[in-house]
Amino acid sequence: MLADQLKTYLAETNISATETQQQQLVGFVTMLNKWNKAYNLTSVRDPEQMLIRHVMDSLVVSPYLKGQRFIDVGTGPGLPGIPLAILNPDKEFVLLDSLGKRIRFQKQVQFELKINNITSVESRVEAYEPEQKFDGVISRAFASIEDMLTWCHHLPADNGQFYALKGQLSDAELTSIPAGFDVVETITLTVPRLDEQRHLLKLVKQK
């Protein structure tokens, strides 16, 4: 059932995934649903909704990623990092979260689904000092773009970009972007079967 729905959604969004990748994506939803009953990892309870609201909501960002090394800040159970890592095995993803139960879930997903390009880190973002900076800093969890830029300013490499995944975009939020950062692009995303606004903001530090 989920596998058939995933095939349909991928076709609608022109995203290609191998059979193995599709099995991993469905496996992720299955594990998330199972663990969620005990650990309360997401407010979405229905696996079919998880496929739309978590997996497809993450995958539609994939065509816009530039570079090899990414960090997903405040990733929760691994969103959007794990679906993006499954779809992009040639890229590296660090999944950062401060809650141990979320990190344990991510590590179990990595082990069971054999995802070799993710590293889970338990830390608060402001305390995390990577040895190597990132081509992309991704987040769909921050309350505001201002907070994301303030707390994550030390993470991108010289030519790195911030990828802020947002629902609705308000003028107030856009005008409160801190000095020293520029919006490069604002992209309207379409998620199959989701009748809600979705946006991707790409931002950079001013040189």
Side-chain angles (χ1 to χ4, degrees):
M1 182 74 171
L2 286 174
D4 291 342
Q5 287 171 325
L6 177 61
K7 272 187 170 46
T8 302
Y9 300 155
L10 289 170
E12 287 179 16
T13 48
N14 291 321
I15 293 173
S16 49
T18 65
E19 284 297 324
T20 301
Q21 288 169 330
Q22 290 178 46
Q23 287 166 9
Q24 288 174 313
L25 290 164
V26 170
F28 174 64
V29 172
T30 304
M31 289 185 70
L32 183 57
N33 184 47
K34 180 180 158 188
W35 275 62
N36 202 38
K37 293 180 171 91
Y39 292 98
N40 200 26
L41 297 168
T42 167
S43 59
V44 180
R45 300 289 173 203
D46 174 50
E48 292 181 28
Q49 284 298 310
M50 287 177 180
L51 191 61
I52 296 166
R53 291 183 166 276
H54 289 332
V55 171
M56 292 309 303
D57 196 50
S58 300
L59 294 183
V60 292
V61 177
S62 183
Y64 305 101
L65 298 182
K66 287 191 179 153
Q68 289 299 119
R69 188 171 151 78
F70 297 86
I71 182 166
D72 177 10
V73 179
T75 183
L79 296 162
I82 288 176
L84 288 173
I86 289 171
L87 202 65
N88 297 277
D90 58 322
K91 302 183 191 300
E92 282 178 68
F93 291 84
V94 171
L95 309 179
L96 189 76
D97 202 274
S98 59
L99 269 190
K101 67 178 182 179
R102 295 171 179 163
I103 298 295
R104 285 193 294 278
F105 171 70
Q106 293 167 26
K107 289 185 171 175
Q108 193 61 29
V109 167
Q110 180 179 17
F111 173 72
E112 286 191 30
L113 302 182
K114 299 180 172 55
I115 304 170
N116 302 317
N117 57 331
I118 58 175
T119 305
S120 297
V121 176
E122 184 179 344
S123 172
R124 294 180 65 81
V125 61
E126 58 269 36
Y128 177 60
E129 291 292 344
E131 289 177 18
Q132 187 185 349
K133 305 281 188 175
F134 297 92
D135 298 319
V137 179
I138 307 169
S139 183
R140 77 197 278 260
F142 273 95
S144 72
I145 297 166
E146 182 179 10
D147 285 347
M148 178 189 179
L149 297 173
T150 302
W151 292 343
C152 304
H153 65 89
H154 61 298
L155 297 176
D158 285 348
N159 293 317
Q161 294 190 326
F162 295 92
Y163 297 82
L165 280 66
K166 303 294 294 181
Q168 288 184 306
L169 275 182
S170 68
D171 292 339
E173 184 166 23
L174 291 172
T175 53
S176 66
I177 289 170
F181 298 92
D182 288 325
V183 176
V184 178
E185 197 174 0
T186 305
I187 298 154
T188 302
L189 301 170
T190 304
V191 181
R193 310 294 188 277
L194 191 63
D195 190 22
E196 296 171 19
Q197 289 188 26
R198 288 289 184 272
H199 294 91
L200 169 64
L201 255 74
K202 292 168 75 170
L203 306 104
V204 293
K205 274 185 181 177
Q206 292 170 356
K207 292 280 194 284

